[in-house]
Amino acid sequence: MAPFKRRGAFVVIEGLDGAGKTSNIRNLGNYFSHSDTPHFMASEYDDSKVCLALRTMLNNQAPDFNVMTETMMFYASRIEHTQKIIAPYLDGGTHVITDRYYATTLAYQGVKNPKVREVHELAQPHLREPDLILFYDIPGDVYEARVLMRGKGLDAIESRGRPYFEQVRANFLKLAENDPRYLIIDATKPLEDVFTETIARVDAFLRTFNEDVVAS
């Protein structure tokens, strides 16, 4: 029988802008650090120059990309980040928490591109399946209020308007249906309450997470 080794849990944070993802990711990182839990806080913007270049182009979109080009570029970034950063940490036994993953691509690009699933199927063998997906849920009016309150310019995707983001939210909720990996958190509540719920749910998940897998 092949030996067993420990692998890290792959936790993905999802939600519309303004849902509090950034604050909760930062708090999760602090919590894991203080509890001496081996972890890595992954970011496509910070971890890879290739991903940063791709994401910068996508956010600027000048000129606008064809919808298939946009979808493929998002998946190219996620594959690069997975193969070079996320997978080595997971295989080395470190938990990885990342801000967005392929559910974001399916939800956002799925509004404009009816063939997003076809692209996903091509990319999927090069990605990793999340073990836990925390979806911070806010309705369109809360998204609009919070993002506009930031007082800074919107990028090409943020400026698509409330109807677009209501469709994105609906896509996320559809993805979460009948998928036990998703935990939906009401992010309209005060940030402290949201973080308390986040920690409770992540702790409960990690207590039952089977880290022993057959070594490849």
Side-chain angles (χ1 to χ4, degrees), residues 2-36:
F4 286 84
K5 70 176 182 179
R6 294 166 64 85
R7 73 168 176 89
F10 188 20
V11 180
V12 176
I13 308 299
E14 295 283 10
L16 301 181
D17 287 339
K21 297 191 317 307
T22 301
S23 296
N24 278 285
I25 288 170
R26 181 173 58 249
N27 288 337
L28 267 175
N30 292 335
Y31 177 79
F32 282 140
S33 294
H34 284 105
S35 60
D36 294 324

Side-chain angles (χ1 to χ4, degrees), residues 138-158:
I138 55 173
D141 59 333
V142 175
Y143 159 80
E144 193 172 54
R146 289 182 178 178
V147 170
L148 294 179
M149 280 174 56
R150 292 174 180 173
K152 63 179 183 180
L154 304 180
D155 64 31
I157 295 177
E158 291 172 334

Side-chain angles (χ1 to χ4, degrees), residues 12-19 21 55 74-75 78 98-111 116-117 130 132-140 143 157 163-185:
V12 176
I13 308 299
E14 295 283 10
L16 301 181
D17 287 339
K21 297 191 317 307
R55 297 305 297 266
F74 272 114
Y75 272 107
R78 300 203 191 284
T98 189
D99 181 2
R100 300 194 182 283
Y101 199 52
Y102 67 67
T104 285
T105 311
L106 289 169
Y108 278 72
Q109 278 58 61
V111 176
V116 66
R117 281 284 179 181
L132 177 68
I133 305 168
L134 298 173
F135 175 59
Y136 292 89
D137 186 31
I138 55 173
Y143 159 80
I157 295 177
Y164 171 79
F165 287 98
E166 288 176 338
Q167 292 179 69
V168 171
R169 181 198 181 206
N171 284 347
F172 270 122
L173 294 173
K174 184 69 174 178
L175 288 170
E177 287 182 1
N178 303 315
D179 190 334
R181 297 175 302 169
Y182 279 84
L183 295 177
I184 300 175
I185 295 177

Side-chain angles (χ1 to χ4, degrees), residues 188-200:
T188 64
K189 297 183 296 186
L191 182 60
E192 183 176 344
D193 294 342
V194 173
F195 180 58
T196 298
E197 181 178 355
T198 296
I199 290 300

